[in-house]
Amino acid sequence: MPKVETFNRNQVLQKATEVFHKKGYNGTSMQDLVDATSLNRSSIYNSFGSKLNLFLEVLSYYQSFHNNNFSQGLAQSYNATEAIETIFELSLTEILNDNDRKGCMIVNCKSEMVNQEPSIKSFMEKNQDRMIAMLEDIVYKGQMEKIFNQDQTANQYALYLFSSIQGLRMTGILNKNEKELRNLINTVLKVLH
């Protein structure tokens, strides 16, 4: 009979997320996770199977949190321009509020782990595909409404926007100058018009 978990899984994931986000996957030890979650090693292994499995669950937890933020922001957008601006504004807000300069955990993970672990690569590919599909849908609607130009396909612009968002997140780790970051966003958005 499997053991019943006697802890709040979401609280453990939140604490593990903080550690992995600060130290990265390779920099996080099992002792770090024990200290952060107040679980012993056997409880972590029994509940998650391995450090890698816990990390994958943490990535999904982090992704879910950000997807909810995007969904709420996009639901309040009136047109394609506002939708794209909302996505960049959410990223900018996170950058400006990131006092520890940790950056985006998913972008960080991509540079740290995507070539080391097939399950991480698969997660990242699915995340990228989902984001590009969302952006492509927004751009396509903007092109149909004659808000955005049709110099490139919606898919080409979506990949451009996705790359720009990731670049903004990386730039924001070192550069917290709001005016410069807003100018960068405005330059990106001008390509669509």
Side-chain angles (χ1 to χ4, degrees), residues 25 55 59 104-117 120-121 123-129 131-132 159 162-163 165-167 170:
Y25 179 80
F55 185 65
L59 285 175
C104 172
M105 185 173 177
I106 290 180
V107 174
N108 296 348
C109 176
K110 186 183 235 184
S111 64
E112 178 189 14
M113 292 292 296
V114 80
N115 291 323
Q116 294 181 28
E117 175 55 48
I120 300 286
K121 183 177 182 183
F123 176 92
M124 291 297 167
E125 287 171 340
K126 288 175 187 167
N127 180 68
Q128 179 171 303
D129 291 346
M131 285 290 296
I132 290 173
L159 182 57
F162 178 74
S163 298
I165 292 164
Q166 290 194 347
M170 291 301 292

Side-chain angles (χ1 to χ4, degrees), residues 14-27:
Q14 181 181 2
K15 291 176 182 177
T17 298
E18 291 169 12
V19 175
F20 280 126
H21 196 174
K22 182 178 181 180
K23 295 187 167 198
Y25 179 80
N26 291 314

Side-chain angles (χ1 to χ4, degrees), residues 7-190:
F7 57 86
N8 182 313
R9 195 172 188 91
N10 280 337
Q11 286 179 348
V12 168
L13 288 173
Q14 181 181 2
K15 291 176 182 177
T17 298
E18 291 169 12
V19 175
F20 280 126
H21 196 174
K22 182 178 181 180
K23 295 187 167 198
Y25 179 80
N26 291 314
T28 300
S29 69
M30 280 305 291
Q31 188 59 49
D32 292 330
L33 295 168
V34 167
D35 293 343
T37 63
S38 300
L39 296 176
N40 60 41
R41 287 172 196 261
S42 63
S43 292
I44 293 173
Y45 283 116
N46 288 336
S47 298
F48 299 98
S50 67
K51 176 182 161 185
L52 178 61
N53 288 346
L54 173 57
F55 185 65
L56 285 165
E57 202 163 326
V58 159
L59 285 175
S60 293
Y61 176 84
Y62 183 88
Q63 178 189 54
S64 176
F65 174 80
H66 285 82
N67 287 348
N68 289 338
N69 285 349
F70 275 164
S71 296
Q72 289 174 8
L74 293 176
Q76 298 172 10
S77 301
Y78 294 105
N79 60 41
T81 298
E82 252 188 49
I84 298 296
E85 287 172 350
T86 295
I87 291 169
F88 276 96
E89 189 63 35
L90 289 168
S91 295
L92 179 61
T93 299
E94 285 186 18
I95 289 167
L96 297 175
N97 291 331
D98 182 9
N99 295 324
D100 296 331
R101 298 179 185 258
K102 294 182 303 240
C104 172
M105 185 173 177
I106 290 180
V107 174
N108 296 348
C109 176
K110 186 183 235 184
S111 64
E112 178 189 14
M113 292 292 296
V114 80
N115 291 323
Q116 294 181 28
E117 175 55 48
S119 58
I120 300 286
K121 183 177 182 183
S122 176
F123 176 92
M124 291 297 167
E125 287 171 340
K126 288 175 187 167
N127 180 68
Q128 179 171 303
D129 291 346
R130 183 192 56 75
M131 285 290 296
I132 290 173
M134 177 192 68
L135 292 166
E136 183 175 3
D137 184 53
I138 295 168
V139 171
Y140 179 77
K141 288 176 184 170
Q143 287 177 324
M144 293 301 100
E145 296 169 359
K146 308 285 189 222
I147 295 171
F148 298 149
N149 69 59
Q150 294 187 18
D151 295 346
Q152 302 289 326
T153 66
N155 180 264
Q156 289 167 324
Y157 278 136
L159 182 57
Y160 165 73
L161 290 169
F162 178 74
S163 298
S164 298
I165 292 164
Q166 290 194 347
L168 176 69
R169 297 307 302 260
M170 291 301 292
T171 300
I173 292 172
L174 294 177
N175 184 346
K176 306 267 276 178
N177 183 307
E178 183 175 358
K179 183 178 179 183
E180 289 179 3
L181 295 173
R182 284 193 185 282
N183 285 338
L184 177 59
I185 292 169
N186 290 335
T187 300
V188 168
L189 296 179
K190 282 179 185 176

